[in-house]
Amino acid sequence: MVLKVFFPSCCSSAESGILIGRWISEQNSAVILAVVHFPFIPVQVKQYLSEVQRVTKVSVSVLGSWNNSKQEKEESLSEFLEDLGTIFSHEPWIQISKEGDSKFWSCSTLQKHSNNPKEEEIILVYYDQRKVMLSHLHPPLDTATSTDHKADDASKLSAIFDTVAKSRILFMTDRYDDGPIKLTHWQSDGVEASIIVELMKQASVPVCMLLTFLLSLISGICRSRVLKFWPLSFLWSKLSTCEQLGHRLQHLQVIISNKKAQNQTQLMRKANIFVSLLIDVALGILLMSWLYRKNRIGHLADTLIPVADHVAEELQDLLQWLMGAPAGLKMNRALDQVLGRFFLYHIHLWISYIHLMSPFIEMILWYVGLSACLGLTVALCILSDIIALLTFHIYCFYVYGARLYCLKIYGLSSLWRLFRGKKWNVLRQRVDSCSYDLDQLFIGTLLFTILLFLLPTTALYYLVFTLLRLLVVIVQGLIHLLVDLIDSLPLYSIILRLCRSYRLAAGVKFRVLEQQDGKPLRLLMQINPLSYSSVVQTYRLPTYSCYPKDSWTSLCKKLFLGELIYPWKHKGEKQD
Amino acid sequence: RRRQHSASCRELAVRCPRLQLRSLSAVTSAVWLAAYGLFVLSENSMVLSAAIFITLIGLIIYLHFVKIDQESLLVIGSLGIQVTSSYASGKESTTFIEMGQVKDVVINEAIHMQKVIYYLCILLQDPGDPQRVSEVVPLFQSSKPRLDCLIEVYKSCQEILEQRKTAPQSS
């Protein structure tokens, strides 16, 4: 079978020595991790390797010899290297030699216990050690579901990636250290570290403890019994701002917890939440500074009352139009007047309420605007809540109209059944035939006729107010969609994909390098990064709200029957 | 166009028809004529600059995301098969399929509108369940080579895949 040797590209210029790495026999491939230089004592090398094996649980062993001769071929050295094969018994013993500065190396294997002396073909694959060590291989999403085969058929590539990633401890010492072993690997050119990162790591521990303490205080206050009394708890559940604040608090708790992240996904999630919070707060502060400069918030408060007045006037005009002959339809005069006057009085109440509040609006708005520093999402939620409060009268009208219409429809359907001589059997939940008395039939028919002829009027009012309510709901829904987007976008992962794309790998790609006859095939293995859409899909943060749970047909059915619709239900709310 | 690197590695590349100057100039002049007509109607010079902007952006998007220049197949025995498509702007998108997942490479027929077309595809298998074909990956989607070209590619692939079947029995 073909023998594959994975050679780190950083070791191409190393001095002669022996190769250590991992031999994967199922795939007939050797992953070389480092080169040990002369002088060394074989016993110490074996000791060191067994220690490394114990710590990393990767079976590292001596795989072969590496001969980098600057001048002509040195016979003694190559013989010495062959003799080493007898000391470190490994099958097969790989010998790679490089002459001068040529790019083409000769690679041969020595098999002591093989039956057939056939010449094996060797493929030399170069890989960038640092990038492979840092990257995280993402399997394609559909294969992730079949977990029962994972243990046996782990893909070849993930075995290689795992090997390099777990051997981090091997890369701690290099040839400039004074130990018994001198290694060459990717860190031989100097151990990489950054002072800022180290300082931040040291400083983060006390900061985290302080924040945990503060957070436990705040959540203790929130959970206290005082806030759980009925009117207040109802209010909290209706205001979306409180939901958003609770959500963010949860996020903070996740970041600040002292436990180290177990695996890659948890680490990415923590990082995503952290970056998302940071950007949110930064945008919020930006918004706040823009609002408070030139006293824009004062202007906003000043225009709020006239806008509310204008809306109320428009509604009054609408009702006057409905009370007349809207769109040429002829309404029932008496019912029309009753309903119209009722709604007009309601609007009058609303306008007086707004005028009562007007001196305090500016102050309230000023303080509420300060809370935008908690984040842009909080500011958007506040906006959505303000819209809901200002259009409360439209919501009330919708509820009145819907209830009236609903009553009418139910009455009509039950009297229609009476027309046909049937009745709704509550026990058996079905329609049964029933014999009615004459006076029951008479009254039933009268009522049916009355309701039927009053239907167009109520239906029109219902239609108008439902449309208005839907408009408000759509606006609120768009705002919530935006908040959701900001909440769930994995910004850290996207930035990582942009700047250090080798850390999120979807696979590898091979490039064929220059060849020469008689020498082994040379390939370069590079990391194929994940596409942006799969990055977003894999690392999305979960959000608290769910999308409209009714499909379009059930929505239309509810509208037709006059049932109240609550399109934006939050997860965790009990269904009535 | 094929290149053989060694006994167990082959690279096969198919080239797509290039972007035609005629069609490019036709589309550009149509867009600009429409913009000029709008300008005459509305007397707003923004229409013209918007049209130029749209043409440029559209061309860049087309070259970078849509127009494929060359598709190639790199078969490395005992490692896997790599499918690369390179776009007109130089972008390359690669997929590597490991040998353990490849069941076979076959030529399939499909009935498309009023004619029968042949296409080459790779049959993938789930490593735990070698009998079932889990996915079919069609190759050379944009360059659509004809049957004689496909047969040549098929023969090369089969030579390498056969080595894989005979190798475990010998060692």
Side-chain angles (χ1 to χ4, degrees):
Chain A
M1 228 166 91
V2 182
L3 179 72
K4 301 179 274 276
V5 177
F6 289 87
F7 197 80
S9 36
C10 45
C11 293
S12 323
S13 53
E15 304 285 325
S16 310
I18 52 171
L19 303 163
I20 50 175
R22 181 178 172 206
W23 168 254
I24 307 176
S25 53
E26 307 89 52
Q27 306 162 19
N28 221 23
S29 54
V31 182
I32 296 180
L33 295 168
V35 177
V36 180
H37 300 292
F38 308 118
F40 58 85
I41 306 173
V43 172
Q44 281 185 335
V45 170
K46 286 191 186 166
Q47 232 179 14
Y48 179 69
L49 284 179
S50 57
E51 256 181 47
V52 167
Q53 193 165 332
R54 199 173 39 91
V55 174
T56 61
K57 303 192 188 25
V58 170
S59 56
V60 182
S61 55
V62 179
L63 292 176
S65 70
W66 160 248
N67 187 358
N68 182 4
S69 49
K70 301 279 188 330
Q71 303 90 17
E72 293 305 315
K73 239 179 159 167
E74 292 171 16
E75 287 296 331
S76 54
L77 192 59
S78 38
E79 270 181 31
F80 174 60
L81 288 171
E82 267 188 42
D83 293 334
L84 280 175
T86 50
I87 308 178
F88 298 104
S89 57
H90 186 267
E91 163 118 3
W93 181 255
I94 302 171
Q95 286 170 310
I96 309 181
S97 66
K98 172 179 169 188
E99 278 124 39
D101 275 329
S102 82
K103 280 186 280 184
F104 306 109
W105 308 347
S106 63
C107 187
S108 58
T109 59
L110 276 178
Q111 296 240 13
K112 289 187 261 291
H113 312 292
S114 64
N115 299 336
N116 47 347
K118 200 167 66 143
E119 186 66 33
E120 269 189 356
E121 197 187 331
I122 304 177
I123 297 184
L124 206 57
V125 181
Y126 295 102
Y127 71 97
D128 190 339
Q129 209 165 33
R130 174 170 167 263
K131 291 194 177 165
V132 171
M133 186 178 88
L134 286 175
S135 99
H136 175 72
L137 194 63
H138 294 86
L141 289 165
D142 45 345
T143 61
T145 51
S146 63
T147 48
D148 31 338
H149 307 298
K150 254 207 311 217
D152 299 334
D153 308 308
S155 93
K156 304 178 176 185
L157 289 173
S158 60
I160 295 171
F161 276 70
D162 265 346
T163 312
V164 182
K166 285 189 190 146
S167 319
R168 249 176 225 250
I169 193 169
L170 194 65
F171 302 135
M172 292 296 176
T173 62
D174 72 353
R175 67 177 160 188
Y176 300 114
D177 288 341
D178 282 331
I181 315 279
K182 295 185 173 24
L183 296 169
T184 300
H185 43 74
W186 67 272
Q187 273 194 345
S188 299
D189 297 329
V191 178
E192 287 185 5
S194 154
I195 295 188
I196 300 180
V197 171
E198 296 295 322
L199 275 177
M200 277 177 58
K201 278 191 194 160
Q202 297 294 327
S204 65
V205 172
V207 167
C208 275
M209 292 187 42
L210 180 68
L211 282 174
T212 322
F213 174 64
L214 279 174
L215 217 69
S216 52
L217 264 181
I218 296 178
S219 41
I221 295 176
C222 290
R223 285 202 205 111
S224 70
R225 303 281 301 199
V226 169
L227 295 178
K228 284 246 189 271
F229 287 140
W230 183 81
L232 282 177
S233 70
F234 178 71
L235 204 64
W236 298 146
S237 69
K238 284 296 167 209
L239 284 178
S240 59
T241 318
C242 303
E243 294 259 359
Q244 177 67 16
L245 280 173
H247 189 56
R248 280 300 191 209
L249 221 63
Q250 241 180 348
H251 277 175
L252 264 180
Q253 266 176 340
V254 167
I255 305 181
I256 289 173
S257 76
N258 276 338
K259 278 195 317 185
K260 242 177 113 57
Q262 245 48 342
N263 56 5
Q264 171 81 355
T265 27
Q266 277 185 2
L267 183 70
M268 294 292 277
R269 177 174 287 202
K270 271 187 151 183
N272 276 328
I273 293 179
F274 182 63
V275 171
S276 158
L277 258 181
L278 214 66
I279 300 267
D280 201 14
V281 170
L283 281 175
I285 293 183
L286 214 72
L287 181 71
M288 205 174 75
S289 71
W290 178 80
L291 273 180
Y292 283 92
R293 201 176 301 173
K294 297 189 203 168
N295 200 17
R296 283 214 184 83
I297 211 160
H299 294 318
L300 213 71
D302 284 339
T303 52
L304 209 63
I305 305 289
V307 161
D309 268 346
H310 179 72
V311 167
E313 267 175 35
E314 290 284 324
L315 270 178
Q316 274 176 335
D317 286 343
L318 184 71
L319 281 170
Q320 294 289 0
W321 180 67
L322 280 178
M323 290 205 310
L329 298 168
K330 195 164 182 323
M331 299 278 109
N332 181 304
R333 180 138 294 266
L335 185 62
D336 222 0
Q337 296 285 329
V338 163
L339 284 177
R341 290 234 179 91
F342 173 64
F343 288 134
L344 274 174
Y345 181 62
H346 208 110
I347 292 181
H348 174 76
L349 275 178
W350 180 257
I351 290 188
S352 4
Y353 164 68
I354 294 268
H355 280 262
L356 203 69
M357 286 273 292
S358 59
F360 307 112
I361 289 279
E362 181 163 351
M363 179 131 31
I364 295 178
L365 216 61
W366 205 88
Y367 284 115
V368 159
L370 275 181
S371 61
C373 71
L374 289 173
L376 185 67
T377 43
V378 177
L380 282 173
C381 282
I382 290 179
L383 180 69
S384 144
D385 283 338
I386 289 180
I387 290 180
L389 281 176
L390 281 181
T391 54
F392 189 62
H393 48 332
I394 295 184
Y395 177 63
C396 284
F397 290 171
Y398 165 69
V399 171
Y400 299 150
R403 285 272 184 246
L404 217 59
Y405 179 74
C406 184
L407 264 172
K408 188 160 277 209
I409 291 284
Y410 274 120
L412 271 177
S413 57
S414 128
L415 289 173
W416 172 247
R417 282 194 282 266
L418 179 132
F419 235 42
R420 293 156 55 215
K422 297 203 187 290
K423 200 167 93 149
W424 173 253
N425 190 338
V426 183
L427 277 169
R428 298 221 182 170
Q429 297 287 317
R430 64 166 190 209
V431 178
D432 278 342
S433 64
C434 165
S435 62
Y436 290 100
D437 295 336
L438 192 63
D439 44 356
Q440 278 177 332
L441 276 176
F442 185 56
I443 296 182
T445 316
L446 258 183
L447 282 175
F448 178 75
T449 329
I450 293 175
L451 282 179
L452 185 67
F453 288 132
L454 288 180
L455 186 64
T457 317
T458 4
L460 194 70
Y461 274 92
Y462 173 65
L463 190 72
V464 167
F465 292 131
T466 311
L467 284 175
L468 282 174
R469 169 86 184 131
L470 279 178
L471 194 68
V472 172
V473 160
I474 286 175
V475 168
Q476 268 193 305
L478 282 175
I479 295 181
H480 279 283
L481 212 67
L482 194 61
V483 169
D484 241 0
L485 190 70
I486 298 180
D487 259 347
S488 70
L489 201 64
L491 275 170
Y492 177 70
S493 307
I494 292 181
I495 294 176
L496 202 65
R497 165 70 180 85
L498 207 62
C499 304
R500 304 243 186 280
S501 53
Y502 54 83
R503 284 186 63 164
L504 300 166
V508 294
K509 48 186 180 199
F510 289 94
R511 202 155 60 100
V512 185
L513 302 170
E514 291 171 356
Q515 302 300 319
Q516 209 185 49
D517 283 332
K519 306 279 187 186
L521 181 66
R522 292 163 74 231
L523 298 169
L524 177 67
M525 182 168 94
Q526 290 168 320
I527 296 187
N528 200 14
L530 216 52
S531 66
Y532 285 101
S533 52
S534 7
V535 167
V536 172
Q537 215 174 352
T538 326
Y539 290 112
R540 266 177 86 103
L541 300 168
T543 55
Y544 59 83
S545 77
C546 49
Y547 287 103
K549 49 187 189 58
D550 299 335
S551 63
W552 284 109
T553 43
S554 66
L555 191 72
C556 288
K557 184 162 156 265
K558 277 195 182 170
L559 279 177
F560 186 67
L561 285 181
E563 285 173 22
L564 291 175
I565 43 177
Y566 301 103
W568 312 107
K569 255 218 158 25
H570 295 284
K571 260 192 215 160
E573 241 184 48
K574 280 207 287 271
Q575 315 271 343
D576 288 336
Chain B
R1 222 174 36 127
R2 47 183 263 205
R3 269 190 298 178
Q4 177 165 347
H5 296 288
S6 83
S8 69
C9 174
R10 300 257 170 86
E11 179 165 2
L12 306 131
V14 179
R15 190 160 267 224
C16 298
R18 303 284 200 141
L19 184 64
Q20 303 261 6
L21 193 60
R22 252 185 308 170
S23 55
L24 181 66
S25 38
V27 170
T28 315
S29 32
V31 170
W32 284 357
L33 270 175
Y36 191 70
L38 269 178
F39 169 66
V40 163
L41 281 176
S42 68
E43 302 290 330
N44 188 1
S45 64
M46 280 288 288
V47 174
L48 290 176
S49 38
I52 294 178
F53 195 58
I54 290 175
T55 322
L56 269 175
I57 298 278
L59 189 67
I60 289 177
I61 289 180
Y62 179 66
L63 287 181
H64 194 72
F65 290 110
V66 174
K67 179 91 187 94
I68 294 187
D69 199 24
Q70 175 178 299
E71 288 171 319
S72 71
L73 191 69
L74 179 71
V75 184
I76 307 173
S78 81
L79 261 183
I81 302 183
Q82 172 167 297
V83 182
T84 320
S85 6
S86 47
Y87 291 86
S89 63
K91 176 172 102 150
E92 287 195 1
S93 97
T94 326
T95 329
F96 179 72
I97 305 170
E98 291 177 34
M99 225 22 145
Q101 283 183 334
V102 170
K103 188 156 186 250
D104 206 356
V105 173
V106 294
I107 298 185
N108 261 354
E109 305 179 320
I111 300 181
H112 175 72
M113 298 234 243
Q114 78 283 11
K115 51 187 183 186
V116 176
I117 54 172
Y118 298 96
Y119 62 96
L120 193 71
C121 60
I122 306 180
L123 300 176
L124 297 185
Q125 70 192 14
D126 210 9
D129 189 8
Q131 302 306 317
R132 211 171 57 90
V133 174
S134 69
E135 215 181 305
V136 174
V137 177
L139 302 173
F140 301 125
Q141 296 270 62
S142 314
S143 43
K144 300 201 236 301
R146 306 194 72 104
L147 190 59
D148 42 7
C149 186
L150 283 180
I151 290 181
E152 236 185 81
V153 174
Y154 175 74
K155 284 194 184 137
S156 303
C157 289
Q158 286 298 334
E159 277 171 31
I160 298 185
L161 285 180
E162 294 214 328
Q163 287 177 5
R164 166 181 75 144
K165 289 195 188 92
T166 56
Q169 289 157 4
S170 66
S171 65

